[in-house]
Amino acid sequence: MKVLITGGAGFLGQRLARKLLERGILAGPDGKPQPISQLVLLDVAAAPDMGDARVCVHTGDISQRDVLEAAIDSDTYAIFHLAAIVSGQAEADFELGMRINFDASRLLLDICRARGHRPRVVFASSVAVYGGTLPDVVGDDTALNPQSSYGTQKAMTELMVCDYARRGFIEGRAVRLPTISVRPGRPNAAASSFASGIVREPLAGVETICPVEPRTRLWLLSPRAAIDALIGVYELEQRAFGDRPVLNLPGLSVSVEEMVDALREVAGDAIVSRIIWRRDERIERIVASWPGRCDASRAESLGLRGDRTFADVIRAYLHDDARRV
Amino acid sequence: MKVLITGGAGFLGQRLARKLLERGILAGPDGKPQPISQLVLLDVAAAPDMGDARVCVHTGDISQRDVLEAAIDSDTYAIFHLAAIVSGQAEADFELGMRINFDASRLLLDICRARGHRPRVVFASSVAVYGGTLPDVVGDDTALNPQSSYGTQKAMTELMVCDYARRGFIEGRAVRLPTISVRPGRPNAAASSFASGIVREPLAGVETICPVEPRTRLWLLSPRAAIDALIGVYELEQRAFGDRPVLNLPGLSVSVEEMVDALREVAGDAIVSRIIWRRDERIERIVASWPGRCDASRAESLGLRGDRTFADVIRAYLHDDARRV
């Protein structure tokens, strides 16, 4: 059985790839575990060599039909659709966001449909689909009112995934990823970039700007838990979702201040002093439109789990990813 | 100031056109009333001659760029986007529904944006955006979980209208129309066709099939009230909508049995006896996924009004539209 990861050169894509290769199996069309014979990593930049004969690197723009057609054949059953233009960039470049976050997703679904074997698609959506006046605790059944083009494009794609699944074109499910923290690597154009930066950069001996107020509340998920959740959601049978194949994942509700306290607990005052507080209204506006706490009881009842504490998340980051100072 | 109605040859489009011509004015870019200099009626079939020099009939497929570009110029400020493939047909022909209900809407928004003068667009959405397990009373803030491709396409377009309005590309607003009853004319492929048919056909001396159970609850709006609401929503300033330019319109919550009782009250037992009860599971499934009652208090607070009783709606139909027996 072939597996495709779009955004396969990205941070989550790479991490998911490593986990899948280690695991070696995934549920097949009959629901039973099947060996992964090939893992296609598709991205606009070439994914690094993983030293595994099962990996096949494809490079190209996923909004191009021939690129997606080359990556999806009738043996491709498992598809993790992670590729996206991040929130800040989709807000700055409307056309690019629509083309990659929406049009490419539609093309992917259409090619899956045309192949005719009902591939199982996990679509990585985001809590950015929420926005506006929100209840204190946001649920799977809270209305979507995105206040960013990124959130709009993710919400539109969720709707398509649900309709394609309902019609039997695919086995489809969307997960609303919390903000992933701590991401390794460099800051990016996501409005949420600081949610990793305020931990990662100080730990690496680098000063970093926190553009939001300490009381800002975030809904977070660690990379480890995110990968487990993506695979967990993949493994669920379609009927487990009832008539709504969209899930909020379990996460941690923490304020930025609590994140900093956890960093102090794990790494001490000197590290924390590398955070410079300088508000950025553009980022604050986007981040404030996202939920700070979700009710993920539906996901939990389906066996999905989040993180325990943010201090644990930092420790896992230090173990898995940190550049040492 | 020019006005465009897509779906201008349709029943609602024609009725809206008559009302606008009678009214003669609409709010312009500065919010003040301006005379309507031209009313463009765009539809796939030619709108009938209305005997008014202001009317300009355009015929074409609204999913074609040149057709929309010809209908929207920089003097076109008011746009009522009513054109759609109805629910039953969009379910039967997925591609056609996507092309007209979604792609053509996107094209229209993109052309509005390209014109650069922020036209004011009223998009006719539908309560079919709701679905699945619904609360007894559905609100503007009830999550969308459409169980039809029509509802999915309307929900995706709502999201676009909101994002285009938020970004300042257009002045945009979407209204979720209840099921319109009593529609004159002939039965159509909408799953809701019976909601007019069970009144219209018996009054015209014709037997008709009711494909759902008497206890089925519908959320209805008369043609008169629908036209008033479309114009009322058009006239509102953008800021009236806050961060959510989508409204449920006030409607009537009636069971099919109550509709038949109202028909008996207005027209007598002999008329009612022309209704043949024969369930159709395909139609029942779609109709059952729609809300039977909405909370339209937000629309009411903005000055919008629905109908008083279904008997009044039938009387208005007899006055405005009925073929006499």
Side-chain angles (χ1 to χ4, degrees), chain A:
Chain A
M1 185 174 78
K2 293 185 186 172
V3 179
L4 167 64
I5 304 176
T6 73
F11 151 62
L12 277 185
Q14 280 286 296
R15 200 149 179 147
L16 176 61
R18 283 199 299 274
K19 184 78 172 213
L20 291 177
L21 292 170
E22 184 190 306
R23 210 172 186 271
I25 51 166
L26 273 178
D30 59 0
K32 298 197 183 114
Q34 287 201 10
I36 297 169
S37 58
Q38 191 180 78
L39 175 59
V40 175
L41 302 181
L42 172 59
D43 212 311
V44 66
D49 178 24
M50 299 188 74
D52 190 303
R54 289 168 294 178
V55 173
C56 182
V57 171
H58 284 226
T59 310
D61 178 340
I62 59 160
S63 67
Q64 301 301 310
R65 176 175 286 274
D66 58 340
V67 169
L68 280 177
E69 281 183 339
I72 301 170
D73 66 29
S74 54
D75 294 327
T76 309
Y77 180 67
I79 299 178
F80 294 88
H81 179 34
L82 311 184
I85 297 297
V86 295
S87 51
Q89 199 179 357
E91 198 62 19
D93 188 339
F94 178 73
E95 283 73 22
L96 180 65
M98 283 295 277
R99 186 162 65 79
I100 301 299
N101 294 344
F102 178 74
D103 291 319
S105 301
R106 179 173 176 187
L107 194 56
L108 182 144
L109 295 173
D110 279 338
I111 291 168
C112 285
R113 177 186 173 204
R115 293 286 182 251
H117 64 295
R118 292 183 65 175
R120 193 181 290 199
V121 179
V122 176
F123 169 59
S125 186
S126 160
V127 290
V129 294
Y130 296 109
T133 308
L134 287 173
D136 285 343
V137 178
V138 158
D140 286 1
D141 58 352
T142 299
L144 306 189
N145 186 18
Q147 298 298 310
S148 67
S149 293
Y150 175 78
T152 301
Q153 292 147 11
K154 288 288 186 186
M156 287 164 63
T157 303
E158 280 187 6
L159 283 159
M160 275 195 306
V161 167
C162 292
D163 201 41
Y164 278 61
R166 186 187 63 80
R167 295 190 74 118
F169 297 159
I170 58 166
E171 304 254 314
R173 61 278 319 257
V175 289
R176 293 182 185 141
L177 287 173
T179 295
I180 303 296
S181 173
V182 181
R183 279 178 182 269
R186 307 195 146 274
N188 68 14
S192 60
S193 181
F194 75 90
S196 291
I198 60 171
V199 174
R200 182 186 61 230
E201 304 303 323
L203 283 172
V206 179
E207 288 195 337
T208 191
I209 290 169
C210 181
V212 302
E213 290 189 285
R215 63 186 172 82
T216 307
R217 187 157 284 278
L218 299 172
W219 180 243
L220 298 183
L221 190 66
S222 71
R224 274 191 196 179
I227 298 304
D228 287 347
L230 287 168
I231 296 173
V233 165
Y234 172 86
E235 293 279 326
L236 292 168
E237 287 180 53
Q238 196 66 36
R239 63 175 177 222
F241 298 96
D243 62 20
R244 190 197 291 266
V246 183
L247 280 181
N248 283 322
L249 292 182
L252 272 178
S253 175
V254 287
S255 69
V256 170
E257 187 166 25
E258 288 163 358
M259 294 172 71
V260 172
D261 288 344
L263 181 61
R264 187 178 291 111
E265 176 192 331
V266 173
D269 278 330
I271 299 286
V272 166
S273 69
R274 292 178 187 137
I275 301 171
I276 299 160
W277 299 86
R278 190 184 299 151
R279 292 173 59 185
D280 178 325
E281 281 185 21
R282 189 188 62 83
I283 291 177
E284 276 193 326
R285 200 169 47 243
I286 296 180
V287 174
S289 76
W290 299 342
R293 189 187 297 273
C294 292
D295 172 6
S297 54
R298 192 159 152 258
E300 282 162 4
S301 76
L302 293 170
L304 302 165
R305 294 287 169 265
D307 304 288
R308 219 173 50 86
T309 69
F310 193 65
D312 284 354
V313 170
I314 297 175
R315 288 188 197 100
Y317 167 73
L318 285 169
H319 181 273
D320 293 354
D321 297 294
R323 289 174 284 159
R324 305 296 167 169
V325 275

Side-chain angles (χ1 to χ4, degrees), chain B residues 286-310:
Chain B
I286 296 179
V287 173
S289 76
W290 301 340
R293 188 187 300 272
C294 292
D295 171 8
S297 54
R298 192 160 153 257
E300 282 162 5
S301 75
L302 293 169
L304 302 166
R305 294 286 169 267
D307 304 287
R308 220 172 51 83
T309 70
F310 194 66

Side-chain angles (χ1 to χ4, degrees), chain B residues 268-281:
Chain B
D269 277 329
I271 298 286
V272 166
S273 69
R274 293 179 187 136
I275 300 171
I276 299 159
W277 299 86
R278 189 183 303 152
R279 291 173 62 185
D280 178 326
E281 281 185 20

